[in-house]
Amino acid sequence: MKPDFDTMSIAELRAYFLSHRDDNEAFYKLADRIESSSEDTELYPCPDTPENIAIMETAIRKQINKLEDKRKG
C-alpha cells in the first residue's frame, strides 16, 4: 500500500522517493510540490555584466542582513 503523497511534507516525500527510486508517481508528486513551493522565489540575472554583478551583490547583502536580523531577534 502506497502512502498518501498529498499529506506528506516535502521532506517526507523526498525521503520516500529516495528509498523508492522506481516509483514514478512519487517522483512526479515531489517535482510538482517543489515547483509549486518555489513560485515566490526571486530570480536574478546571470552576473555577466557590471550591472548584473551589482544586482547580485545587492541581493546577497540583502539576504545576509535578513539572516543577521533573524539571528539577533
Side-chain angles (χ1 to χ4, degrees):
M1 181 174 169
K2 284 189 180 183
D4 183 4
F5 299 133
D6 293 327
T7 62
M8 297 172 82
S9 69
I10 289 177
E12 292 169 330
L13 191 50
R14 180 181 290 128
Y16 174 85
F17 176 68
L18 289 175
S19 62
H20 299 87
R21 291 179 186 257
D22 60 335
D23 190 334
N24 289 333
E25 181 184 1
F27 170 76
Y28 287 113
K29 286 285 188 177
L30 178 60
D32 289 343
R33 296 278 295 283
I34 290 172
E35 181 180 348
S36 68
S37 70
S38 66
E39 289 177 359
D40 61 344
T41 301
E42 289 187 51
L43 300 176
Y44 298 98
C46 179
D48 57 354
T49 65
E51 294 82 15
N52 289 349
I53 291 171
I55 290 170
M56 289 302 298
E57 288 174 345
T58 301
I60 291 169
R61 278 192 215 107
K62 183 178 175 182
Q63 185 64 24
I64 290 170
N65 290 339
K66 183 178 174 182
L67 292 172
E68 287 176 346
D69 290 346
K70 185 177 180 181
R71 188 178 60 198
K72 289 178 186 175

